Each structure stands twice: as structure tokens, then as C-alpha cells.
Amino acid sequence: MIAAMMMLAVCASAQSDKSPVNAYFTTSEMPDMLKWCPAPPDTIGAAFAFDIMQYMWGKEMRNDKERAAIAIRDAVYGLDCIIREFSEPFGLQISKEETPEIYKVLREGTATCDSICTIPKKYYMRKRPFMRFNEPTLYPEDEPHLRKNGSYPSGHTLLGWSSALLLSEINPDRADTLLARGYMYGDSRLIVGAHWQSDVNAARLAASAAYARLHTSERFLEQMRRARQEFRVKKGLATIVEMKAYQKEQKKRAKAK
């Protein structure tokens, strides 16, 4: 647990990129979840009973110290922690300096996907499980913010699942591992106690819808092409022609800066 808290502190202080994000679409241009995604379950039906059962499951999982430590790390929202957690399953260390094309599409792509949850969070303002049961989460530092932020859908889950989808497109050979980690990222929200199962389920669906929308952006498609090219170069898979094309593009972009 101490190691987990040390990692938490590192992640919390690692949100160093404060530059503006050039999203591919505005919130209003993204699919409106209020028009196609079901509302969160009421408090008297079977769906909410299942939410409660899963909340209890999450509390039981805290007894697994290793899994609890992962859930605590996942509680820190931000791209730097996504990079820290997903680089290993991706098969390549991601960084702004060493993999600028991958970093760029991951940052701008996930930020665009994230905006799909803005409207439903404000509209439903669903009370979170730790608030309903008046119990602490595994990450108490975030509780004051969470009390003012709607629970449905889960923003963390949306970030984790959209990251897994995006990185799987760059390295499809690692898709199974990446998707497994992305799914685990959502489950971490149950273990921490910050979300209901239905929040997590809706976020996975929302991330998939948002990611589909990204593919209608020519700018996104071009950046994904550059990211895949960079991946092949960094992994030693690129042909001589691909290598020269990559180097030429990097020199051109360096001059443009």
C-alpha cells in the first residue's frame, strides 16, 4: 500500500503538460448521450440492486492488496498516469519527447472522447456510492471534487477505455492486453468506491461511440497514420522507405515549430 501511495504522489505531480489541447471535435459536435444512452437506473429496480451488489464486490476486492493498489493508481485522472499504466501493455514507452506522434494523438484523442460525458454528468448529477452509503473511498483526496461531479457516466472509465481502443489501433498485436487493462481501469472505479457498475458500463459504451466519431475527422486519421508510422520506426519494423519518410516528416515539423 505504501508503494501504491508513492506511485500516487508521483502521478499527482506529473500532470506537467499544461499546453492547450486541440480537440478534434467540440462537445456539441459529439454524440449526445441524452438522446441515445439510457438514464441511470432508479433506486427501486433490479438494475440498482445489481449496482449495490457490485459496490459490495468492489469493497471485497480491496482485501486484495495488489488489486487495491492498482485501483488507487487508476484513481488519479490524467494522461501522464494513463501513459504510466498503458505503456507496458502497449509494448513501447510513450512520451512527449520520444514518441511525439503517439503522444499527440493519445492526448488529443482521449480529450475529445472525454467531452462526450460532459452533458449527461451535469444533467443527471447522480449521487455516487460512497455518498449514498456515507463510507470512505480508497482515494479520499478526490472525494470533495467527486461530491460536486455527477457519477453517470464514469469519466475515468471513459478515459481508460478510449485509451485502450486508440492504442490497440496503433499496435493491434497487443490489443488483447490493452483492452484487458482498459477494462480493468473501469473496474478500478468500483473498487475505489467512486462509481456504480451502471456508470462504468455506460462509460464503456460512450467511449466506443466517441471513438467512432473520431474516425470521421480527417485530422485524426492523419495523426493516427503518423502515430502508426512512428510506432513501426521505434519498434524496428519500418522499411527503409518508411524510415526515410518518418525522418523527413519530423524534420519538416521541427522547422515549423
Side-chain angles (χ1 to χ4, degrees):
M1 183 62 73
I2 293 177
M5 294 307 295
M6 289 177 64
M7 179 69 78
L8 186 64
V10 170
C11 288
S13 63
Q15 311 303 319
S16 55
D17 192 346
K18 305 299 183 181
S19 61
V21 177
N22 187 15
Y24 296 103
F25 295 106
T26 64
T27 300
S28 63
E29 292 173 328
M30 297 296 285
D32 185 350
M33 291 184 67
L34 298 183
K35 297 179 179 179
W36 56 267
C37 190
D42 58 39
T43 58
I44 59 174
F48 188 66
F50 183 66
D51 271 348
I52 294 175
M53 290 175 62
Q54 287 300 96
Y55 173 70
M56 298 305 175
W57 169 83
K59 290 176 65 177
E60 289 181 6
M61 289 299 294
R62 297 177 190 180
N63 295 322
D64 182 336
K65 300 303 181 183
E66 182 177 356
R67 184 63 184 90
I70 294 173
I72 291 172
R73 296 204 307 267
D74 289 348
V76 185
Y77 190 90
L79 183 64
D80 290 312
C81 285
I82 285 291
I83 288 173
R84 186 185 301 276
E85 297 300 320
F86 281 77
S87 286
E88 182 175 350
F90 180 56
L92 181 68
Q93 180 59 50
I94 303 167
S95 73
K96 185 177 182 179
E97 295 73 25
E98 297 301 320
T99 59
E101 306 293 1
I102 296 172
Y103 177 87
K104 180 177 175 63
V105 76
L106 180 62
R107 183 171 188 250
E108 296 179 347
T110 55
T112 305
C113 288
D114 178 71
S115 68
I116 198 174
C117 72
T118 303
I119 295 174
K121 273 184 172 291
K122 290 182 179 179
Y123 181 82
Y124 294 116
M125 279 304 295
R126 190 185 192 189
K127 185 179 293 186
R128 294 170 184 271
F130 76 90
M131 296 167 62
R132 182 168 291 277
F133 290 102
N134 194 28
E135 296 177 339
T137 68
L138 281 185
Y139 187 34
E141 293 89 338
D142 209 24
E143 290 176 19
H145 165 70
L146 296 180
R147 291 180 183 277
K148 301 176 183 179
N149 183 266
S151 185
Y152 185 89
S154 165
H156 280 72
T157 300
L158 206 156
L159 174 62
W161 193 240
S162 60
S163 297
L165 292 173
L166 190 151
L167 294 174
S168 293
E169 186 170 343
I170 298 173
N171 183 10
D173 289 340
R174 287 291 189 96
D176 291 344
T177 304
L178 285 163
L179 292 171
R181 184 63 182 92
Y183 199 89
M184 179 187 290
Y185 200 89
D187 284 349
S188 288
R189 302 308 286 159
L190 305 175
I191 298 171
V192 166
H195 280 287
W196 304 102
Q197 181 70 62
S198 53
D199 299 336
V200 171
N201 292 347
R204 288 169 178 152
L205 180 62
S208 298
Y211 196 61
R213 177 70 167 119
L214 281 183
H215 284 75
T216 66
S217 166
E218 292 298 327
R219 181 163 62 88
F220 170 77
L221 295 176
E222 172 59 21
Q223 188 57 42
M224 279 297 295
R225 182 194 67 78
R226 292 177 175 177
R228 288 194 295 268
Q229 181 187 58
E230 181 175 73
F231 177 79
R232 287 179 57 79
V233 168
K234 296 295 182 178
K235 295 293 288 186
L237 303 173
T239 64
I240 295 177
V241 174
E242 289 175 324
M243 179 68 77
K244 290 183 177 179
Y246 175 75
Q247 293 173 342
K248 183 178 180 180
E249 284 193 9
Q250 292 306 300
K251 289 180 180 180
K252 183 178 179 180
R253 296 190 72 177
K255 289 182 179 180
K257 292 180 180 180

